[in-house]
Amino acid sequence: MSAEFAGTMILILFGVGVVAQVTTTPDGSNGQYDSIAWAWGIGVMLGVYVAGRTSGAHLNPAVTLAFALYEGFPWRKVASFVLAQVLGAFVAALIVRVVYADFIRSVDPNLTETQGIFSTSPGDPVSIPTAFLDQVVGTAILIFVIFSLVHPRNKGPLANMAPFMIGVLVVGIGMAWGANAGYAINPARDFGPRLASFITGYDTAWVTSDGTPYWWLPIVAPLLGAVVGGGLFKLLIDRYIPAEDAPQEIGRV
């Protein structure tokens, strides 16, 4: 639990921190969308390096659920992992909230315009069903590729490179799937900071700009996406990976 807490905290310190930096300097002098995508990926990579040896570095309830469903992760540990992940995200968001308080007040004195520093929401033209589908698809991609990278028979990157590649994966998801709903793809990443923002003055933390309850979507949709992504990996890849001692046919398609 301590490793999941620490790894998720590192992830959120970089991720929410970069959004705070970009949001509070709207002239672009301290970064734009690309820096957000890269810093989230770096945060994931470093969080996995922090926790990987101790806990496996899930850092995400959707990842924990997928490993429990498909890879034999003990169900008795799921609740404690999820709790540690949410607490890590919550504490990290509080740190960002305090450190960036002056900047936030300078651009949003009433705390009505900067909720996006802490949690996700749909873009202006995006409906709730579209945002839900977006989060299912984004999380399915995340889980499918993570399973591909860490599967012992799939000849993925060596152990010390897997965190780097997972970080690159998150950068790619951010660059390709960030417009509709902010690519939460992680219930802890969204709920922990959302709660932190609420208790520090953001009265509209749980709803969209038009008042529609939204807090539930970045929890439910990523969990469903984890089921879909893990299931597709089992269906399309896992059952066809040769055993370790099976002869390999060079050039076979």
Side-chain angles (χ1 to χ4, degrees):
M1 288 180 69
S2 65
E4 286 295 303
F5 173 88
T8 308
M9 184 170 66
I10 292 297
L11 158 61
I12 299 301
L13 285 172
F14 280 91
V16 172
V18 72
V19 181
Q21 179 168 285
V22 171
T23 300
T24 58
T25 52
D27 62 356
S29 60
N30 284 319
Q32 295 179 325
Y33 186 80
D34 283 356
S35 62
I36 291 175
W38 278 105
W40 273 109
I42 290 169
V44 169
M45 176 189 70
L46 296 177
V48 175
Y49 275 122
V50 165
R53 177 65 172 167
T54 306
S55 69
H58 295 182
L59 315 184
N60 181 342
V63 173
T64 300
L65 175 63
F67 275 99
L69 279 173
Y70 299 113
E71 296 294 335
F73 182 75
W75 282 100
R76 69 180 185 278
K77 295 184 178 182
V78 168
S80 61
F81 266 50
V82 171
L83 176 61
Q85 293 155 3
V86 172
L87 287 175
F90 173 76
V91 170
L94 285 180
I95 293 171
V96 173
R97 177 71 176 88
V98 172
V99 173
Y100 273 94
D102 293 344
F103 256 128
I104 291 172
R105 285 290 183 183
S106 73
V107 299
D108 185 20
N110 298 316
L111 301 181
T112 58
E113 304 297 329
T114 55
Q115 176 62 42
I117 291 172
F118 300 96
S119 57
T120 61
S121 61
D124 288 338
V126 179
S127 68
I128 295 298
T130 297
F132 190 93
L133 177 61
D134 171 87
Q135 286 301 288
V136 171
V137 171
T139 312
I141 295 169
L142 176 73
I143 300 302
F144 188 95
V145 179
I146 287 176
F147 274 19
S148 301
L149 291 172
V150 304
H151 195 291
R153 289 186 290 109
N154 202 35
K155 303 299 184 185
L158 296 177
N160 62 336
M161 283 298 294
F164 174 80
M165 295 307 302
I166 292 170
V168 171
L169 165 63
V170 172
V171 173
I173 292 174
M175 289 183 170
W177 293 92
N180 280 320
Y183 75 107
I185 59 175
N186 180 339
R189 168 268 175 272
D190 194 85
F191 182 76
R194 192 182 294 272
L195 178 61
S197 68
F198 175 72
I199 68 173
T200 59
Y202 286 84
D203 294 335
T204 58
W206 308 109
V207 298
T208 63
S209 58
D210 64 1
T212 302
Y214 189 78
W215 62 271
W216 60 274
L217 192 150
I219 297 174
V220 176
L223 293 176
L224 179 58
V227 176
V228 173
L232 286 174
F233 176 79
K234 288 293 184 181
L235 177 66
L236 300 175
I237 303 297
D238 189 18
R239 59 180 178 157
Y240 299 116
I241 300 174
E244 290 289 349
D245 58 351
Q248 301 296 308
E249 295 183 30
I250 304 300
R252 179 177 178 179
V253 177

